[in-house]
Amino acid sequence: MKSKKLKIFSLALFLLPLCFLLLGAGCEKDKRDSFCYQGKVVTLNQGDGCQDIIKITEPAKNGNLVKNATLSFNPDLYEGTLKVGDIISFKVLEYEVFGDRISTQPCTFPQFAASIEFCNN
């Protein structure tokens, strides 16, 4: 009888840390959020030839871009409807310094051209 209790106790000691590991596996959201920026939609192209621009209001914990940096982006990837002034969360997949700034329109230009993925908006 004592050996049976000892086996059950040993099994419980083995399974307890395993349960903690499985409970910790649900933290994927925290990892994703550490790469998400928060930004404000500054301009949207309304057929005028200007850029769609986001201004970073809160940098990502693990990101390279700083607060107030501006990015061009593709608003068609957003699942809803965007308006100027909307606050959105996004992950920057890649970016580069925005190129030549030649336009016949009085447009605002971003600092960076970016490929982004929207976080849970």
Side-chain angles (χ1 to χ4, degrees), residues 59-105:
K61 293 175 187 171
N62 296 327
N64 296 326
L65 298 170
V66 297
K67 184 175 181 174
N68 295 325
T70 55
L71 311 168
S72 67
F73 73 107
N74 182 357
D76 295 334
L77 300 176
Y78 191 76
E79 291 180 9
T81 303
L82 285 174
K83 299 180 302 250
V84 172
D86 284 352
I87 303 296
I88 56 174
S89 295
F90 57 95
K91 181 167 61 169
V92 177
L93 303 176
E94 57 185 355
Y95 67 94
E96 62 183 42
V97 174
F98 192 77
D100 296 332
R101 298 177 175 176
I102 299 171
S103 175
T104 58
Q105 301 294 326

Side-chain angles (χ1 to χ4, degrees), residues 3 25 42 79:
S3 96
V42 177
E79 291 180 9

Side-chain angles (χ1 to χ4, degrees), residues 21-64:
L21 286 173
L22 292 175
L23 290 173
C27 295
E28 187 66 30
K29 182 179 184 290
D30 294 337
K31 290 179 183 175
R32 185 181 64 234
D33 287 346
S34 67
F35 290 100
C36 288
Y37 292 84
Q38 187 171 5
K40 181 178 179 180
V41 177
V42 177
T43 62
L44 291 171
N45 179 357
Q46 302 296 322
D48 56 8
C50 294
Q51 299 288 316
D52 302 303
I53 301 174
I54 300 172
K55 182 177 185 177
I56 296 175
T57 56
E58 187 176 321
K61 293 175 187 171
N62 296 327
N64 296 326

